[in-house]
Amino acid sequence: MYGIDGRHELPEIELTHFEGYKKSRPVRIGNGAADQLQLDIYGELMDSVYIYNKSGELIFIRSVGSSGSID
């Protein structure tokens, strides 16, 4: 994520004087999630495999060893 001026660092700031959708709080701007461990790709991958298998196709998954080769 980049700022409008091209900055890469976007610290998360809480805006206490604003209300969010349906008066939700806190309202934050920035990208605090950039410092968190992102694991959502595994869920997306499993969902894709499920949908592909549900369509009638079979998918075979092989594990990748520590050497980088497919076992």
Side-chain angles (χ1 to χ4, degrees), residues 1-13 29-32 34:
M1 181 182 281
Y2 296 93
I4 196 166
D5 57 357
R7 291 179 293 147
H8 296 232
E9 294 289 324
L10 296 172
E12 191 168 275
I13 300 168
I29 59 171
N31 190 18

Side-chain angles (χ1 to χ4, degrees), residues 46-70:
M46 295 309 295
D47 192 39
S48 298
V49 169
Y50 170 76
I51 291 170
Y52 189 79
N53 283 338
K54 189 176 176 183
S55 72
E57 300 292 329
L58 292 178
I59 192 167
F60 297 97
I61 300 174
R62 294 181 175 176
S63 64
V64 177
S66 60
S67 64
S69 63
I70 296 177

